[in-house]
Amino acid sequence: MLEFSGEGTPGVRHSAWTDEAVEQGRGLPIQVEGGAVLDLVIDGTPMTASNTPYPSGTHTRAGDLDIVSDGSFEDNTHIVIGAPTAREFQIGFLSNPVRMVIDIRD
């Protein structure tokens, strides 16, 4: 789950499984564990996405998932999630505060 602050509601610009993720702007490969990578670009998130920023290169583990933030660039926040294999997923939004929920089937 990602939590956002400020006005408005973010949206999903891109969400798809891929073999490799690359950084926004520079296009360099992002190191993420797993055989499949869920590449997510969230739009409507200028610069800092929340009161506690998601700094670039930060890895977070959730079960067998490796979640990596590529930070925010030009109104987009880029998150990649490494998993052993591609799985079904869905994305939803909650309000008060605004949150994006990514549900990846186990």
Side-chain angles (χ1 to χ4, degrees), residues 27-51:
L28 297 174
I30 296 173
Q31 299 301 314
V32 60
E33 292 180 29
V37 178
L38 182 56
D39 191 53
L40 301 167
V41 178
I42 302 107
D43 62 5
T45 58
M47 296 308 291
T48 304
S50 73
N51 289 331

Side-chain angles (χ1 to χ4, degrees), residues 10-28:
V12 178
R13 176 175 295 256
H14 172 79
S15 62
W17 289 102
T18 183
D19 295 330
E20 179 183 47
V22 296
E23 293 178 342
Q24 293 188 99
R26 297 189 303 178
L28 297 174

Side-chain angles (χ1 to χ4, degrees), residues 14-15 18 21 26 31 46 52 59 66 72 83 96 101 106:
H14 172 79
S15 62
T18 183
R26 297 189 303 178
Q31 299 301 314
T52 52
H59 287 252
D66 181 23
S72 296
N96 204 17
V101 178
D106 194 11

Side-chain angles (χ1 to χ4, degrees), residues 40-86:
L40 301 167
V41 178
I42 302 107
D43 62 5
T45 58
M47 296 308 291
T48 304
S50 73
N51 289 331
T52 52
Y54 301 102
S56 180
T58 300
H59 287 252
T60 303
R61 295 295 303 190
D64 64 356
L65 304 176
D66 181 23
I67 305 158
V68 183
S69 170
D70 183 31
S72 296
F73 178 75
E74 294 183 356
D75 200 36
N76 294 307
T77 297
H78 185 213
I79 305 291
V80 296
I81 302 174
T85 60

